[in-house]
Amino acid sequence: QVPVVESGGRLVQAGGSLRLSCTASTLGFGSYAMAWFRQAPGKEREWVAGISWKGGATYYADSVKGRFTISRDDVRATADLQMNSLKPEDTAVYFCAARFRATIRSMVNDPDENSWGQGTQVTVSS
């Protein structure tokens, strides 16, 4: 488990953009797969995007593909989520997750093994 902190959530109008940032306090950040999840009111947590620890391959849920971009900076130990063309249905608490040398699939299928942040609220008004 490593400390994970998200930031950047706020109220934004539909069609707007927002950039979330995630930091993980570990010297070995480059060996951690990173992913973003979200949980809307009354709904289960869902996976949004992931970036691998080796090679930086990116993966997206169908609901955000083409609108969201995940990136990482191993020097700054950050993993950002750029969100464009936001929709009201993107409203949720967004959580960042980190896991040592994991696949994104394992982060999704076995989330209890992830290190989690406290979440940051994103609200998209119509």
Side-chain angles (χ1 to χ4, degrees):
Q1 297 286 317
V2 296
V4 176
V5 179
E6 308 95 336
S7 63
R10 61 175 175 86
L11 174 65
V12 63
Q13 288 190 333
S17 297
L18 199 59
R19 190 176 185 90
L20 304 182
S21 187
C22 171
T23 62
S25 299
T26 173
L27 293 178
F29 181 83
S31 293
Y32 280 77
M34 303 297 295
W36 284 91
F37 294 74
R38 67 186 181 187
Q39 186 166 19
K43 295 186 178 181
E44 293 187 353
R45 182 176 56 197
E46 65 173 349
W47 169 72
V48 174
I51 186 165
S52 68
W53 65 275
K54 188 175 182 180
T58 58
Y59 307 89
Y60 300 94
D62 288 343
S63 59
V64 306
K65 200 171 294 183
R67 300 188 299 122
F68 290 12
T69 302
I70 188 171
S71 61
R72 66 185 297 151
D73 184 329
D74 290 346
V75 175
R76 294 172 58 235
T78 59
D80 291 353
L81 185 68
Q82 176 66 41
M83 305 186 294
N84 299 328
S85 303
L86 283 162
K87 306 174 182 179
E89 50 264 43
D90 294 319
T91 295
V93 178
Y94 282 70
F95 297 91
C96 181
R99 192 149 158 194
F100 184 72
R101 295 188 177 181
T103 64
I104 301 303
R105 183 184 299 275
S106 67
M107 293 185 74
V108 175
N109 293 338
D110 190 17
D112 289 346
E113 297 299 316
N114 300 338
S115 295
W116 294 95
Q118 81 289 348
T120 186
Q121 176 70 47
V122 173
T123 303
V124 184
S125 64
S126 57

